[in-house]
Amino acid sequence: MNKIVLLPLVFLSLFFQVNCQSKKSFEKYKDASLSVDERVEALLPLLSLEEKVAQMRIFHANIGVDADSKGNLKLSDKVVEKLKLGTAGIKNPGEHMDAVAAAKFNNVLQKYIIENNRWGIPGLFVTESYNGVDAEGCTKFGRPINSAASFNSDLVYKIWDVVGKEARLRGMHMCHSPEADLVRDPRFGRMSEAFGEDTYLTTQMVTNAIKGVQGNYEGLGKGTHIGAVAKHFAGYGQVLGGTNFAAIEISERTLIDEIYPPFEAAVKDAKTLGIMASHGDLNGIASHGNPELLTGVLRDQWGFNGYVVSDANDIGRLHYFMKVAETPEAAALLGLNAGVDIDLYAEDAYALLPEMVKKNPEIETLIDRSVRRVLRTKFILGLFDNPYIKISEVEKGVRAKSSLDLAKESDLESIILLKNENNILPLDKNKPTKIALLGPLVKPSTKKMFETAASSNVSFIAEKGFDLTDGKGGAPNLLERDPVAIEKMVEMARKSDVAIVFVGGDEFTSKEAFFTNAIGDRASIDPVGAQDELVEKLKATGKPVIVVLKHRRTLSINVFSEQADAILDTWDLSEFGDESTARIIFGDASPSGKLPVTVPRTIGQIPFHYSMKEINYKKGYLFLKDGPLYPFGFGLSYAKFEYSNLKLSNNDMTANSEIEVTVEVKNTSIVKAKEVVQMYIKDDIGSVTRPDKELKAFEKIELNPGESKVVKFKIHPKMLEFTGLKMEKTLEAGDYTVMVGTSSQEYLKTSFKLKTN
């Protein structure tokens, strides 16, 4: 009988011991004075297997996270069920609300998440950023390709600092941006989401974007900024044929020397909190199931300790699309083994893990590894201690005047002057002039924005004429030629002093090709529709024709280039884009943007980027002029700049020394203007075939009329390393050519010798 009495007492004692331990652990992970790792290790053992897996899954708000007509939280049954276990996070909650409404909504949503899972674990609210925060009521900047065209790293930091602040104020925590991919194929519809074709330029842009959006990392815990997720690791922009989801074939040497560096800098220099894996494969190995890529390179070599998130549904696609896994369960295990920590959206991948663990308990060790990384991110962001937004700070912090002014400034610095025949630009705003604003990319607000930038002496008429497509979101169709609309615009030009024609492409002619029934890539890079014809007929009127080129992919603009008197390449500017363009046209500022890509004459030249191997330039094509239509780094100014006195501090360099490069740049005109001074280096002879030249440094300077400045660059050994014969980073002795100038084709040059012994 004593045994019967004692046995329950033993169990009761054990219960109290376990309960006390759990309570202490609970109190420990809530203790903000402890380190992040200590808090993670205190929390992780408390979670059930199902709760752990919930911390490895992000779902989209469109499955049932909404507000009713009174602004109250409205959740679908599916979402309610998910949140009982907690969640890694939710994509785009409150995206269609203004900033204040979104902040209130996300506070309520976060409160619900915290109060409805056992351990009060907050969720990550995730956005994206291609024109600023991808949500209503935020400052709309130009796209990343515009930032690259500015060649102004400090400006990029400021833009993304605003993005980080505005996103956090509306209750967001992570951003599936920026893109660290190189984009070298203009058939690819997502071209404008990245920073161009060059490794060095992209690296500078990406690191400054991440530092900005994360508030130099310090803004994360303070609750002022959000975490970045650099994407798509790796090689995503190199899809064959320029079509989304296609295979990716990149030599290992190119991968290491050209594709990896922006991602490596994102990890080591900018301390990105997240990395997104690539949709594609790399030489036959699906990126989402590639442990050498996601663990070997990313973590073991570079020391990344954040989380890796899948691109949408891509773990499940290892089975039914990539077909490298026999079953959905096998696909989930591939992703988990490779190092993908969070499954984005899918119901057929990590959702299967709890059942898989029953058959293979060892999997839980990998699950714990991923959950640690997710929890760590939430602690770094301070979400356990300060999960809510102060509503009183939102209105004054979002769309502040300084942010709107920055959008305008970034526009002015990114607009590229490609042609200016007989110095037709800038136009004199004080001279009585009638201007026709014409073409398919004229907006309802274009005329008003131009009037804002001009004086009362200038009058405007505006006519869109025709659309390029029928505007169907998934797979738009080109519209038939409209001769009546063309003739109407030609007649308007005849009655005007100047025709400004808005042509190129829009959000329907260049966009992401989603997985289901969406097409955004193109087999041609010529301007669509009757745009060439329109420019030719406007030119035939005898009136000056100024082309404003708007686009999201590089276009072969041969007709525009031949016919127009001036061309302003504006890519996809901010919400003030037409006003900024008008300010450039009327001379309020001199254009200072430079091409972040090479502009080919025809699609037949692709692949075609400035830093290809020298041997690629040996032969041209029959019946085609050699070289690009416009080279990388090219961009005119209203000023004239004279380069002189290119000097090296030493003509010999060792593996332990540096060389200082100096060049004098003088503004020889009467216009104050900015210039991008670019330094390229060529390895004259290497053990493997080498690039024709590579951008290694740049600086944007501003000079008053007649002013000179000595610009200085440093050449250091790391700058000259490349992957050699043995597939190891090497520094080879020999001769190197240094080129400093205004583009990749116009420069002064000198040389030095590297001695490694």
Side-chain angles (χ1 to χ4, degrees), residues 46-115:
L46 302 178
L47 306 185
S48 69
L49 174 61
E50 290 75 14
E51 288 169 332
K52 290 176 183 177
V53 173
Q55 291 300 315
M56 299 169 63
R57 300 180 64 200
I58 286 177
F59 63 88
H60 200 288
N62 62 13
I63 69 169
V65 179
D66 207 348
D68 62 20
S69 58
K70 297 181 179 180
N72 299 314
L73 189 63
K74 182 181 177 182
L75 303 179
S76 66
D77 292 342
K78 184 176 183 179
V79 170
V80 169
E81 193 62 28
K82 281 179 175 291
L83 294 182
K84 289 178 182 178
L85 295 170
T87 182
I90 303 175
K91 186 74 177 290
N92 291 344
E95 64 177 322
H96 300 302
M97 304 175 184
D98 65 52
V100 173
K104 292 177 180 178
F105 176 79
N106 285 330
N107 275 350
V108 174
L109 176 61
Q110 187 72 277
K111 187 173 187 292
Y112 181 91
I113 293 171
I114 290 170
E115 291 180 351

Side-chain angles (χ1 to χ4, degrees), residues 575-618:
E575 59 188 284
F576 306 104
D578 283 345
E579 178 185 337
S580 300
T581 301
R583 290 186 60 195
I584 291 286
I585 286 174
F586 290 114
D588 291 349
S590 176
S592 62
K594 299 284 186 175
L595 283 171
V597 294
T598 300
V599 180
R601 300 176 186 278
T602 169
I603 195 171
Q605 292 175 292
I606 295 170
F608 196 50
H609 52 276
Y610 88 93
S611 57
M612 294 189 301
K613 295 173 182 177
E614 181 182 358
I615 57 176
N616 288 39
Y617 295 103
K618 176 64 175 176

